[in-house]
């Protein structure tokens, strides 16, 4: 797949934008689920190694969220540039 947004067509850019928005939504949902499951495990079973595992993965989801936000901004800039031509 092309990663240079200036070389993509407008339709490809819009499809890529939709994909990035979907992936961001999924990762936000997973982040909320991880936090909720960690809180649930800590309250029900007390503090243990297993209750920390969801929190360990949280930075990865935050990083993916910020990287996808940057990609989305680049895609939207390319869409605006293509539409103004």
């Amino acid at each position: 797949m092309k990663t240079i947004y200036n070389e993509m067509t407008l339709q490809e850019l819009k499809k890529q934008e939709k994909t990035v928005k979907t992936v961001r939504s999924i990762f936000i949902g997973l982040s909320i689920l991880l936090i909720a499951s960690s809180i649930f495990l800590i309250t029900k079973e007390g503090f243990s190694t297993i209750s920390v595992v969801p929190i360990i993965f949280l930075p990865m989801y935050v990083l993916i969220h910020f990287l996808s936000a940057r990609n989305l901004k680049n895609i939207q800039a390319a869409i605006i540039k293509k539409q103004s031509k």
Side-chain angles (χ1 to χ4, degrees):
M1 177 178 278
K2 300 176 190 174
T3 56
I4 301 172
Y5 300 124
N6 293 333
E7 295 178 2
M8 297 175 107
T9 65
L10 189 59
Q11 289 177 339
E12 290 173 330
L13 286 169
K14 288 187 178 190
K15 183 178 179 185
Q16 187 73 20
E17 179 185 29
K18 183 179 178 185
T19 302
V20 170
K21 284 183 179 180
T22 303
V23 168
R24 282 183 71 199
S25 299
I26 290 170
F27 277 109
I28 288 170
L30 286 174
S31 299
I32 292 169
L33 182 66
L34 283 173
I35 292 169
S37 66
S38 181
I39 291 170
F40 177 77
L41 285 171
I42 290 172
T43 57
K44 288 293 181 182
E45 298 181 11
F47 189 77
S48 68
T49 307
I50 299 211
S51 63
V52 178
V53 171
I55 295 172
I56 291 172
F57 288 107
L58 193 59
M60 179 182 65
Y61 287 114
V62 170
L63 178 66
I64 289 171
H65 174 72
F66 284 117
L67 291 176
S68 66
R70 188 177 64 191
N71 284 340
L72 185 60
K73 184 187 288 186
N74 291 339
I75 292 169
Q76 289 172 339
I79 288 173
I80 290 169
K81 187 177 177 182
K82 292 268 185 190
Q83 288 177 341
S84 66
K85 286 185 179 181

